[in-house]
Amino acid sequence: QTVPSGSHMIYVAAGTYDEQPMPLKPGVSLQGAGIDQTIIKNGTFVWWYGAIQLYSSSLTNGNQTLSGFTLDGKSYSAFTGIQVQNRNNVKIFNVKVQQFYHAGIELWSDTGNQTENIEIYNFTISESARESTGGSYGNITSRGSVRNLQIHDGTIYHQSNISIGSYGEKTSGYAMKFLASYNGSAFSTSDYVSKSKIYNIKEYGKAFAPWGQNVPNISFEFWAIGAEEVEITNCDFTTHLSLEYDPAVLKGAYSFWVHDNRFKVGMGQSIELTTSNTIIENNIFDYRENTNAWNVMGEYNQKSKGATNIHVRRNYFLLGDRSPILWALGNPSTNLYFYNNTINGSGNPALFQIRSTSNGVASKNLQVFNNAFDVSTGGQITA
């Protein structure tokens, strides 16, 4: 690996090392001999700190890389694997992170900061996220504003359901979670994930959520944070994608572009779709083995705000004999377009479910056109 310009490199030879938490100053990089050759173990639990710490109290140019090792939390004995806080220009690649209590990798921008140019690629993270009464976290967790975040060519496992800690937590949370930073005791209302891309990710999760076997699990969740030009593409999902929060003001033309992914979700829905200005296109939704196919995508949890300007187009819905609702609307929504999709199945799916709303405001301008409904084996589409 080439040392970043102006940076210093720590080389770690092949072997197994039992280490205390390692803070790295800006400009200091760490390179092992390879994922299966350099094994770094850490069993020291420190709340909100990582086994490898790239931490600055104010926004700083990190100009550093981490690569070529396995980082092991010794069966959830350490809090977080890799902590990147208030650092720009950081690359993490060719690493494996496993069995940490809170998160495998946590990115954090304090309120008022926006980190930039963070890339995570060629990685495996397994069973390194907790579910607690305070909410779920991700094997990759991102807090606060970040611009030009690239996460790609990786695999995430969150399949276990083990009790950990002393507060009723269980493993292993979500694959990824994005949320705002704290402004005092509340979440900041001005944080964004912007001009960022998640691609070529394989996600393997248990079908049910850590907190209940009748609730579907989540792959990536964007929660209490804005989104501007966030692209999610060429990923394999076994649990649903949650695009949950719609900020009051969006800076970009679209908040999310979700395209060319494969959804084969074990139970429940594929996309929780409560964000405005979103394109869902060229995805495959395979429901043939879904054990509780109640809907494919749904608009919920918006506190009567409703969604607007959503395009669902050129997707392929492979339903088998399942009969889900393709799109459920829980709040008044505007400018929703469902077109050029193909629906194949032998059941009796519903195209839309439009639920009554507490404020009595109606949804409007729902357009459905140029779709292909292949129900030749005996099914039918109801509305």
Side-chain angles (χ1 to χ4, degrees):
Q1 165 65 19
T2 302
V3 179
S5 177
S7 178
H8 302 277
M9 183 71 77
I10 298 173
Y11 294 97
V12 184
T16 299
Y17 305 88
D18 201 336
E19 297 290 333
Q20 293 297 308
M22 293 183 291
L24 296 179
K25 295 180 178 180
V28 177
S29 297
L30 179 69
Q31 179 181 329
I35 289 177
D36 297 322
Q37 298 181 58
T38 299
I39 314 296
I40 301 172
K41 295 187 175 184
N42 181 280
T44 302
F45 192 99
V46 182
W47 283 97
W48 306 110
Y49 284 94
I52 297 177
Q53 301 168 8
L54 279 59
Y55 167 77
S56 295
S57 58
S58 58
L59 198 60
T60 302
N61 181 22
N63 193 34
Q64 55 200 138
T65 65
L66 303 175
S67 66
F69 57 83
T70 290
L71 188 60
D72 189 311
K74 298 179 71 172
S75 298
Y76 318 105
S77 297
F79 187 76
T80 290
I82 298 172
Q83 170 196 4
V84 182
Q85 188 164 350
N86 299 324
R87 295 264 178 103
N88 294 330
N89 300 312
V90 173
K91 290 186 178 183
I92 301 169
F93 58 96
N94 296 341
V95 299
K96 181 178 181 180
V97 183
Q98 61 191 20
Q99 293 192 343
F100 282 87
Y101 165 84
H102 174 71
I105 299 175
E106 183 159 34
L107 313 175
W108 198 323
S109 304
D110 289 343
T111 300
N113 290 339
Q114 176 184 258
T115 55
E116 296 186 349
N117 305 327
I118 297 175
E119 186 175 12
I120 304 170
Y121 62 99
N122 293 346
F123 66 89
T124 298
I125 303 180
S126 62
E127 315 304 343
S128 293
R130 63 175 169 138
E131 159 63 31
S132 71
T133 55
S136 286
Y137 298 90
N139 281 261
I140 295 177
T141 294
S142 177
R143 297 174 182 269
S145 289
V146 58
R147 179 184 174 92
N148 193 25
L149 171 64
Q150 306 284 316
I151 304 176
H152 61 95
D153 296 286
T155 303
I156 301 177
Y157 297 93
H158 57 126
Q159 297 171 310
S160 63
N161 198 45
I162 302 169
S163 295
I164 56 174
S166 56
Y167 299 97
E169 303 99 329
K170 287 190 174 182
T171 60
S172 70
Y174 303 157
M176 298 185 197
K177 181 154 185 172
F178 299 82
L179 67 164
S181 60
Y182 290 111
N183 187 2
S185 59
F187 283 117
S188 170
T189 58
S190 60
D191 287 344
Y192 273 85
V193 181
S194 61
K195 297 189 182 300
S196 296
K197 187 174 181 179
I198 303 170
Y199 59 102
N200 297 345
I201 302 297
K202 294 185 181 296
E203 173 263 336
Y204 299 96
K206 55 185 175 291
F208 58 89
W211 66 90
Q213 295 193 9
N214 295 320
V215 183
N217 201 359
I218 295 177
S219 57
F220 308 162
E221 182 177 59
F222 290 79
W223 184 76
I225 191 165
E228 178 190 11
E229 299 179 35
V230 174
E231 182 178 358
I232 301 171
T233 183
N234 201 32
C235 296
D236 290 291
F237 293 103
T238 65
T239 64
H240 89 257
L241 171 65
S242 178
L243 310 179
E244 185 177 344
Y245 182 76
D246 186 16
V249 178
L250 289 171
K251 300 175 184 176
Y254 294 100
S255 57
F256 289 100
W257 182 23
V258 180
H259 66 97
D260 295 286
N261 301 286
R262 294 158 296 278
F263 292 87
K264 192 172 183 179
V265 175
M267 63 177 288
Q269 66 186 9
S270 289
I271 301 180
E272 183 176 18
L273 185 58
T274 73
T275 52
S276 295
N277 302 326
T278 297
I279 296 175
I280 310 292
E281 67 177 341
N282 295 331
N283 302 285
I284 296 173
F285 298 93
D286 186 348
Y287 267 68
R288 292 174 296 176
E289 299 176 12
N290 192 298
T291 61
N292 185 16
W294 44 287
N295 70 271
V296 178
M297 60 190 68
E299 188 270 313
Y300 310 113
N301 300 334
Q302 276 294 81
K303 299 180 180 178
S304 299
K305 289 173 62 178
T308 185
N309 195 26
I310 296 176
H311 291 253
V312 178
R313 63 194 185 194
R314 296 193 293 271
N315 299 285
Y316 187 71
F317 297 87
L318 186 59
L319 304 181
D321 61 0
R322 273 47 174 182
S323 299
I325 303 158
L326 294 182
W327 195 342
L329 302 178
N331 286 294
S333 300
T334 305
N335 297 338
L336 307 184
Y337 305 91
F338 187 89
Y339 58 99
N340 295 342
N341 299 287
T342 300
I343 297 92
N344 177 278
S346 61
N348 296 283
L351 183 56
F352 281 95
Q353 182 188 75
I354 302 175
R355 302 177 180 180
S356 61
T357 58
S358 59
N359 59 10
V361 177
S363 294
K364 58 184 179 180
N365 196 24
L366 277 62
Q367 298 193 27
V368 181
F369 56 93
N370 292 344
N371 299 287
F373 299 98
D374 181 3
V375 291
S376 58
T377 53
Q380 63 181 6
I381 301 293
T382 60

